[in-house]
Amino acid sequence: MSQYFPGSSNVIIEGSTFNTVTNRYQIAKGSIIGGFERLQEYVAHGAFHDSGERFNPPKCHHNTREYVAHGAFHDSGERFNPPKCHHNTRVAIIKRITDWISGLNEDTREALIMWLYGAAGAGKSAIAQTIAEILDDQHFVLASFFFSRNDPQRGTAKLLVTTLAYQLAAKLPGVFRERLGLVFENDPLITTRSLEAQFKALVREPLVELLHSGFSTNNHFVIIIDGLDECDDPEVQARIVDLSFDLLRGRDIPLKILIASRPEVDISSSFDTKPFCTLARIALDDDYQSDEDIRHFLEDKFNEIKTQHRLRSYIPIGWPTEDSLDTLVEKSSGQFIYASTVVKYVASAHHRPTHRLEVVLGIQLPKAGDNPFAELDALYRHILMGVEDVDLILQIIGFVVLHPPHFSNSVTKIEDVLSLAPGDVELLMQNLGSLISVENDPDGPDILTIRILHASFKDYLLDQSRSKDFFLDIVKMHTHYAELCLAHITEHPSFQSYSSLRSFIGTTPCVLIHLNFCVLTA
């Protein structure tokens, strides 16, 4: 007897009654369900195209907006009131950079990349911002990326290329945008590719196609990358430098790149390997009259306080004194961050400017919880937190800090006293290039010395309320150095007589400095 299976599609069950078939169906159904439930244990749920584990998966896009760090633009609303050069300051540097971009400087005309570098707080971002605004006003094709270590989008290089490509697409003819759209259509995962692949597909090839379409320009396009040292990975920092040169190696696209950063070791090493003819450098040092610019900035800002502060009627006419300005300029050490920090603190609408300036100058003590140098201290702490062997580094720095200014901070002497191998000091200090310089002594080209670039860094280290666990205790440090000096002397095989010992001490005044201090503080 033949029977159709209920609910089936013409499936004939041979030789079974309806009830028998139904029972078998229920058994089979239970077996299938049980097997399906067991099978679930071996399923990669996240591999489904619509899996919740793959929330917002990559898919085809015809633009780069979803992969853009909006806060990295020079005119981003997220960077409201960004730092920029004070009026009539940094004039020589700004002219040198704009002349390079316009091809007006014969010395830098062939260079396609310029590196602007200097110590922490030297004003690099302010210069980069000012250059960007000048170029924007002059209708240059401009793209920028301002790195920031505290921003999740701007603290890495993941969105660097797409952010630059988006800005170029917004200002260039349709051919560039069309090519960019095709890239995303043909390779929806382009944003996951290497930086090399992204630069090639999203910047170089669209620019080449634009030029082949007949587009021409009298001006170079400009890319500004600021704060490269604030990118989270030092190896990526160096790669970005390398890729910038690779991008322009053929000299077939009208593009120039300005990179601003601290002289960190990975970045410096990458620049040092590049052809001299394609690279221009600007060091923010004494050659550009930083002290004069800082004095001008302070004078203007204090005049604003005297004319605009709510308590201006209580401010003396001769405030601040020339001596006070001299002290502030000296403490700035050519770094604008110190002067800027002082002005923000003194200008507070909720306090007396005269009292706050006295706090800065150390004439008055700050109130509990009040730190006039909070921004500066955060910078110093961040830099020190990023180095290895910080305790040993602090011993080296302490040796320099506690020496009188007229004594040479010879690297060789420091290595001898601390029992370090030749070259150790240079290796240890390489990640502190934005605060400390290891350089040739002007009086002896073959002698390396250590120079602290920020005068305020010494104040920070010697104030426990500011430096916390990086504090240099003067008494303990002098005692430690005296012990090391004496141990070094007594272990030296040539010191068998009083005369030889006296001779060594005479050529190593640090021994007497530390011993005298220990005696006076005993």
Coordinates of all heavy atoms in Angstrom, one line a residue, residues 478-516:
H478 N 73.4 64.2 46.2 CA 74.8 64.6 46.4 C 75.5 63.5 47.2 O 76.7 63.2 46.9 CB 74.8 65.9 47.2 CG 74.8 67.1 46.4 ND1 75.8 67.4 45.5 CD2 73.9 68.1 46.3 CE1 75.5 68.6 44.9 NE2 74.4 69.0 45.3
T479 N 74.9 62.9 48.2 CA 75.5 61.8 49.0 C 75.8 60.7 48.1 O 76.9 60.1 48.2 CB 74.5 61.4 50.1 OG1 74.2 62.5 50.9 CG2 75.2 60.3 50.9
H480 N 74.9 60.3 47.2 CA 75.1 59.2 46.3 C 76.3 59.5 45.4 O 77.2 58.6 45.2 CB 73.8 58.9 45.5 CG 73.9 57.8 44.5 ND1 74.3 56.6 44.8 CD2 73.8 57.9 43.1 CE1 74.3 55.8 43.7 NE2 74.0 56.6 42.7
Y481 N 76.3 60.7 44.8 CA 77.4 61.0 43.9 C 78.8 61.1 44.6 O 79.8 60.7 44.1 CB 77.2 62.3 43.2 CG 75.9 62.3 42.3 CD1 75.1 63.4 42.3 CD2 75.6 61.2 41.5 CE1 73.9 63.4 41.5 CE2 74.5 61.2 40.7 CZ 73.7 62.3 40.7 OH 72.5 62.3 39.9
A482 N 78.8 61.6 45.8 CA 80.0 61.6 46.6 C 80.6 60.2 46.9 O 81.8 60.0 46.7 CB 79.8 62.3 47.9
E483 N 79.7 59.3 47.2 CA 80.1 57.9 47.4 C 80.6 57.3 46.1 O 81.7 56.6 46.2 CB 78.9 57.1 47.9 CG 78.4 57.5 49.3 CD 77.1 56.8 49.7 OE1 76.5 56.2 48.8 OE2 76.7 56.8 50.9
L484 N 80.0 57.6 45.0 CA 80.4 57.0 43.7 C 81.8 57.6 43.4 O 82.7 56.9 42.9 CB 79.4 57.3 42.6 CG 78.1 56.6 42.7 CD1 77.1 57.1 41.6 CD2 78.3 55.1 42.5
C485 N 82.0 58.9 43.6 CA 83.2 59.5 43.2 C 84.4 59.0 44.1 O 85.5 58.7 43.6 CB 83.1 61.1 43.5 SG 82.1 61.9 42.2
L486 N 84.1 58.8 45.4 CA 85.2 58.3 46.3 C 85.5 56.8 45.9 O 86.7 56.4 46.0 CB 84.7 58.4 47.7 CG 84.7 59.8 48.3 CD1 84.0 59.8 49.7 CD2 86.1 60.4 48.4
A487 N 84.5 56.1 45.6 CA 84.7 54.7 45.2 C 85.5 54.6 44.0 O 86.4 53.8 43.8 CB 83.4 53.9 45.1
H488 N 85.2 55.5 43.0 CA 85.9 55.5 41.8 C 87.4 55.9 42.0 O 88.3 55.3 41.4 CB 85.3 56.6 40.8 CG 85.9 56.7 39.5 ND1 85.8 55.7 38.5 CD2 86.7 57.6 39.0 CE1 86.5 56.1 37.5 NE2 87.0 57.2 37.7
I489 N 87.6 56.8 42.9 CA 89.0 57.3 43.2 C 89.8 56.1 43.9 O 90.9 55.8 43.5 CB 89.0 58.5 44.1 CG1 88.5 59.7 43.3 CG2 90.4 58.8 44.6 CD1 88.2 61.0 44.1
T490 N 89.2 55.6 44.9 CA 90.0 54.6 45.7 C 90.2 53.3 44.9 O 91.2 52.6 45.2 CB 89.2 54.2 47.0 OG1 87.9 53.8 46.6 CG2 89.1 55.4 47.9
E491 N 89.4 53.0 43.9 CA 89.6 51.8 43.1 C 90.6 52.0 42.0 O 91.0 51.0 41.4 CB 88.2 51.3 42.6 CG 87.3 50.8 43.6 CD 85.9 50.5 43.1 OE1 85.7 50.6 41.9 OE2 85.0 50.2 43.9
H492 N 90.9 53.3 41.8 CA 91.8 53.5 40.6 C 93.2 53.1 41.0 O 93.8 53.6 42.0 CB 91.7 55.0 40.3 CG 92.1 55.3 38.9 ND1 93.5 55.3 38.5 CD2 91.4 55.6 37.7 CE1 93.5 55.5 37.2 NE2 92.3 55.8 36.7
P493 N 93.9 52.3 40.2 CA 95.2 51.8 40.5 C 96.3 52.9 40.6 O 97.3 52.7 41.3 CB 95.5 50.8 39.4 CG 94.6 51.3 38.3 CD 93.4 51.8 38.9
S494 N 96.1 54.0 40.0 CA 97.2 55.0 40.0 C 97.2 55.9 41.2 O 98.2 56.7 41.4 CB 97.0 55.9 38.7 OG 95.8 56.6 38.8
F495 N 96.2 55.8 42.1 CA 96.2 56.6 43.3 C 96.8 56.0 44.5 O 96.2 55.6 45.4 CB 94.7 57.0 43.6 CG 94.0 57.7 42.4 CD1 92.7 57.3 42.1 CD2 94.7 58.7 41.7 CE1 92.1 58.0 41.1 CE2 94.0 59.3 40.7 CZ 92.7 59.0 40.3
Q496 N 98.2 55.8 44.4 CA 98.9 55.2 45.5 C 99.6 56.3 46.4 O 100.1 56.0 47.4 CB 100.0 54.3 44.9 CG 99.5 53.2 43.9 CD 98.6 52.3 44.7 OE1 98.8 52.0 45.8 NE2 97.5 51.9 44.0
S497 N 99.5 57.5 46.0 CA 100.1 58.6 46.8 C 99.1 59.7 46.9 O 98.2 59.9 46.2 CB 101.4 59.1 46.1 OG 101.1 59.7 44.9
Y498 N 99.4 60.5 47.9 CA 98.6 61.7 48.2 C 98.6 62.7 47.0 O 97.6 63.2 46.7 CB 99.1 62.4 49.5 CG 98.4 63.7 49.8 CD1 97.1 63.8 50.3 CD2 99.0 64.9 49.5 CE1 96.4 65.0 50.5 CE2 98.4 66.1 49.7 CZ 97.1 66.2 50.2 OH 96.4 67.4 50.4
S499 N 99.7 62.8 46.4 CA 99.9 63.8 45.3 C 99.0 63.4 44.1 O 98.4 64.2 43.5 CB 101.3 63.9 44.9 OG 101.8 62.7 44.5
S500 N 99.0 62.1 43.8 CA 98.2 61.6 42.7 C 96.7 61.8 43.0 O 95.9 62.1 42.1 CB 98.5 60.2 42.3 OG 98.2 59.3 43.4
L501 N 96.3 61.5 44.2 CA 94.9 61.7 44.6 C 94.5 63.2 44.5 O 93.4 63.5 44.0 CB 94.7 61.2 46.0 CG 93.3 61.4 46.6 CD1 92.3 60.6 45.8 CD2 93.3 60.9 48.1
R502 N 95.4 64.1 45.0 CA 95.1 65.5 45.0 C 95.0 66.0 43.5 O 94.2 66.8 43.2 CB 96.2 66.2 45.7 CG 96.0 67.7 45.8 CD 97.1 68.4 46.6 NE 96.9 69.8 46.6 CZ 97.7 70.7 47.2 NH1 98.8 70.2 47.8 NH2 97.4 72.0 47.2
S503 N 95.9 65.4 42.7 CA 95.9 65.8 41.3 C 94.5 65.4 40.6 O 93.9 66.2 39.8 CB 97.0 65.1 40.5 OG 96.9 65.4 39.2
F504 N 94.1 64.2 40.9 CA 92.8 63.7 40.3 C 91.6 64.6 40.8 O 90.8 65.0 40.0 CB 92.5 62.3 40.7 CG 91.3 61.7 40.1 CD1 91.2 61.3 38.8 CD2 90.1 61.7 40.9 CE1 90.0 60.8 38.2 CE2 88.9 61.2 40.3 CZ 88.9 60.8 39.0
I505 N 91.6 64.9 42.1 CA 90.5 65.7 42.6 C 90.5 67.1 41.9 O 89.5 67.7 41.6 CB 90.6 65.8 44.1 CG1 90.3 64.5 44.8 CG2 89.6 66.9 44.6 CD1 90.4 64.5 46.3
G506 N 91.7 67.6 41.7 CA 91.8 68.9 41.0 C 91.3 68.9 39.6 O 90.8 69.9 39.2
T507 N 91.4 67.8 38.9 CA 90.8 67.7 37.6 C 89.4 67.2 37.6 O 88.8 67.1 36.5 CB 91.7 66.8 36.7 OG1 91.7 65.5 37.3 CG2 93.1 67.4 36.6
T508 N 88.9 66.8 38.7 CA 87.5 66.3 38.8 C 86.8 67.0 39.9 O 86.6 66.5 41.0 CB 87.5 64.8 39.1 OG1 88.5 64.2 38.2 CG2 86.2 64.2 38.8
P509 N 86.4 68.3 39.7 CA 85.8 69.1 40.7 C 84.5 68.6 41.2 O 84.0 69.0 42.3 CB 85.6 70.5 40.0 CG 85.7 70.2 38.5 CD 86.6 69.0 38.4
C510 N 83.8 67.7 40.5 CA 82.6 67.2 40.9 C 82.7 66.5 42.3 O 81.8 66.5 43.1 CB 82.0 66.2 39.9 SG 83.0 64.7 39.6
V511 N 83.9 65.9 42.5 CA 84.1 65.2 43.8 C 84.0 66.2 45.0 O 83.3 66.0 45.9 CB 85.5 64.6 43.9 CG1 85.8 63.9 45.2 CG2 85.7 63.6 42.7
L512 N 84.7 67.4 44.8 CA 84.6 68.4 45.9 C 83.2 69.0 46.0 O 82.8 69.3 47.1 CB 85.6 69.5 45.5 CG 87.1 69.1 45.6 CD1 88.0 70.3 45.2 CD2 87.5 68.6 46.9
I513 N 82.5 69.2 44.9 CA 81.2 69.7 44.9 C 80.3 68.9 45.8 O 79.6 69.3 46.7 CB 80.6 69.8 43.5 CG1 81.4 70.8 42.7 CG2 79.1 70.2 43.5 CD1 81.0 70.8 41.2
H514 N 80.3 67.6 45.5 CA 79.4 66.7 46.2 C 79.8 66.5 47.7 O 79.0 66.4 48.6 CB 79.3 65.3 45.5 CG 78.8 65.4 44.1 ND1 77.6 66.0 43.8 CD2 79.4 65.0 42.9 CE1 77.5 66.0 42.5 NE2 78.5 65.4 41.9
L515 N 81.1 66.4 47.9 CA 81.6 66.2 49.3 C 81.3 67.5 50.1 O 80.9 67.4 51.3 CB 83.1 66.0 49.3 CG 83.6 64.6 48.9 CD1 85.1 64.5 48.8 CD2 83.1 63.5 49.8
N516 N 81.6 68.7 49.6 CA 81.3 69.9 50.3 C 79.8 70.0 50.6 O 79.4 70.4 51.7 CB 81.7 71.1 49.4 CG 83.2 71.3 49.4 OD1 83.9 70.8 50.2 ND2 83.6 72.0 48.4

